[in-house]
DNA sequence: ACTGGCTCCTGAGGGC
DNA sequence: TGCCCTCAGGAGCCAG
């Protein structure tokens, strides 16, 4: 799925086209996503003006009318702006039709994504309230990671992918940050030094920023608001490169399974 | 409290 | 060509 850089790419592409725009209708073609799409969304949002589009971790917060629409892209989701008359494909589950006859269209073949609604502060919503700090904002650094890792025996990669520890990091960027920091992904989180967590936090931020600049990573599904893929894939050092030589030392990159996820690393560079 | 495993769903790719 | 198996960018939930 879209991890933080892909969601941020989507947000940046959509925001100028949505903010200040009025919603003409909401069309729900398939309401069974990760959770049921709330009933009567059309009644809640028809005629409402989009006040803003924010991001928290991998969630998009579309503020409109009397509340906020919470959007999650799951593993395979994408949001695009299309002419409202464009015939929907089989996995185009929802449209927000805008006053200018454009439509924000949610496409998600695997349906692990979500559309929720709240009238309260969206940051207090149960799905968002427990999220850890944003990795690109203050409040996230090596000291924070080190503190959260204390006494824990889970693989350090699983710690990075735990949204309660840090928001928005998934399988790709966890693997990339660990490679760049020279840390073995299976190492117990509590046995990584403070100094190495400083490096890890720094490398993670670099990788996320560089990916945002490149428009994110497209493996198969991801496209931005205008339907274009992201270009960071060619900058990935280890993700998806098992069996190939390490870009730093030439050793063959190995693959293992951690917390059910494929994990590529360099057995020489990462300890 | 922690941890690992299972689960939701569709589609692509590899092996035979 | 076709069938079957495994795996894929997430993350909530459950049992041990």
């Amino acid at each position: 799925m879209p991890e933080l850089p892909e969601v941020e790419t989507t947000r940046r592409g959509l925001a100028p086209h949505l903010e200040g725009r009025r919603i003409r209708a909401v069309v729900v073609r398939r309401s069974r996503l990760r959770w049921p799409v709330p009933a009567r969304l059309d009644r809640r949002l028809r005629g409402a003006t989009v006040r803003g589009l924010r991001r928290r971790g991998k969630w998009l917060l579309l503020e409109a009318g009397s509340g906020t629409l919470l959007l999650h892209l799951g593993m395979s989701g994408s949001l695009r702006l299309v002419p409202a008359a464009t015939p929907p494909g089989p996995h185009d589950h929802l449209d927000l039709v805008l006053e200018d006859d454009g439509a924000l269209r949610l496409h998600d073949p695997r349906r692990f994504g979500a559309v929720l609604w709240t009238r309260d502060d969206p940051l207090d919503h149960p799905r968002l309230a427990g999220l850890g700090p944003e990795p690109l904002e203050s409040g996230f650094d090596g000291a924070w990671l080190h503190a959260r890792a204390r006494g824990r025996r889970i693989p350090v990669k699983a710690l990075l992918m735990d949204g309660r520890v840090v928001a928005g990091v998934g399988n790709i960027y966890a693997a990339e940050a660990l490679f760049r920091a020279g840390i073995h992904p299976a190492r117990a989180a509590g046995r990584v030094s403070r100094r190495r967590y400083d490096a890890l936090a720094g490398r993670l931020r670099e990788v996320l920023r560089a990916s945002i600049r490149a428009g994110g990573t497209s493996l198969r599904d991801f496209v931005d608001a205008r339907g274009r893929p992201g270009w960071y894939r060619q900058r990935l050092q280890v993700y998806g490169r098992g069996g190939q030589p390490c870009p730093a030392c030439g050793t063959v990159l190995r693959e293992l399974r951690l917390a059910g996820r494929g994990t590529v690393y360099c057995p020489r560079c990462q300890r």
Side-chain angles (χ1 to χ4, degrees):
Chain A
M1 132 179 164
E3 304 185 30
L4 187 154
E6 292 74 41
V7 178
E8 178 62 18
T9 294
T10 300
R11 191 196 69 77
R12 291 182 184 186
L14 291 176
H17 299 280
L18 295 181
E19 288 175 358
R21 195 78 32 105
R22 194 179 295 271
I23 296 168
R24 176 176 284 177
V26 181
V27 179
V28 179
R29 297 186 196 84
R30 182 143 197 171
S31 59
R32 303 196 55 145
L33 303 183
R34 173 88 198 239
W35 295 283
V37 174
R40 295 185 294 279
L41 261 192
D42 181 67
R43 209 178 66 188
R44 283 165 171 154
L45 283 171
R46 183 186 288 266
T49 297
V50 178
R51 296 190 305 277
L53 185 64
R54 295 192 288 155
R55 181 188 57 76
R56 175 79 173 98
K58 297 168 187 169
W59 288 92
L60 283 170
L61 286 54
L62 191 149
E63 300 163 312
S66 60
T68 303
L69 200 62
L70 305 173
L71 298 152
H72 196 295
L73 300 178
M75 292 266 264
S76 57
S78 57
L79 284 165
R80 295 181 60 176
L81 282 166
V82 299
T86 309
H91 304 298
D92 291 337
H93 307 309
L94 179 143
D95 281 1
L96 238 62
V97 183
L98 305 170
E99 60 185 349
D100 59 358
D101 287 323
L104 176 66
R105 180 162 288 176
L106 173 67
H107 176 83
D108 183 8
R110 290 179 70 183
R111 287 192 274 133
F112 286 176
V115 177
L116 304 173
W117 171 257
T118 180
R119 307 178 83 97
D120 305 323
D121 183 340
L123 300 181
D124 291 337
H125 188 277
R127 299 275 78 80
L128 278 71
L131 288 176
E134 288 291 322
L136 297 178
E137 293 174 13
S138 63
F140 175 77
D141 56 17
W144 167 262
L145 282 179
H146 188 245
R148 296 304 307 266
R150 188 175 177 140
R152 306 206 46 197
R153 280 172 284 190
I154 52 166
V156 59
K157 176 158 174 274
L159 184 86
L160 267 191
M161 292 175 65
D162 183 344
R164 294 163 299 184
V165 173
V166 55
V169 182
N171 205 27
I172 296 178
Y173 300 104
E176 294 295 311
L178 286 162
F179 171 74
R180 287 162 170 82
I183 300 170
H184 195 294
R187 175 173 284 274
R191 311 193 110 221
V192 175
S193 69
R194 165 63 201 277
R195 199 176 170 75
R196 301 183 82 201
Y197 272 124
D198 287 344
L200 182 56
R203 298 300 88 74
L204 176 63
R205 271 199 289 261
E206 287 168 11
V207 158
L208 295 175
R209 284 205 189 96
S211 181
I212 291 169
R213 280 198 299 275
T217 299
S218 294
L219 299 178
R220 179 173 300 143
D221 298 310
F222 177 73
V223 290
D224 70 8
R226 289 155 72 173
R228 302 168 304 189
W231 296 103
Y232 196 70
R233 184 178 188 176
Q234 50 200 2
R235 304 263 302 277
L236 299 176
Q237 308 276 287
V238 288
Y239 183 87
R241 293 184 182 272
Q244 298 177 34
C246 169
C249 78
T251 302
V252 175
L253 295 175
R254 278 196 206 148
E255 223 164 336
L256 55 79
R257 277 195 102 60
L258 286 181
R261 316 300 296 277
T263 303
V264 183
Y265 69 102
C266 173
R268 178 151 179 233
C269 296
Q270 295 176 256
R271 303 285 178 169

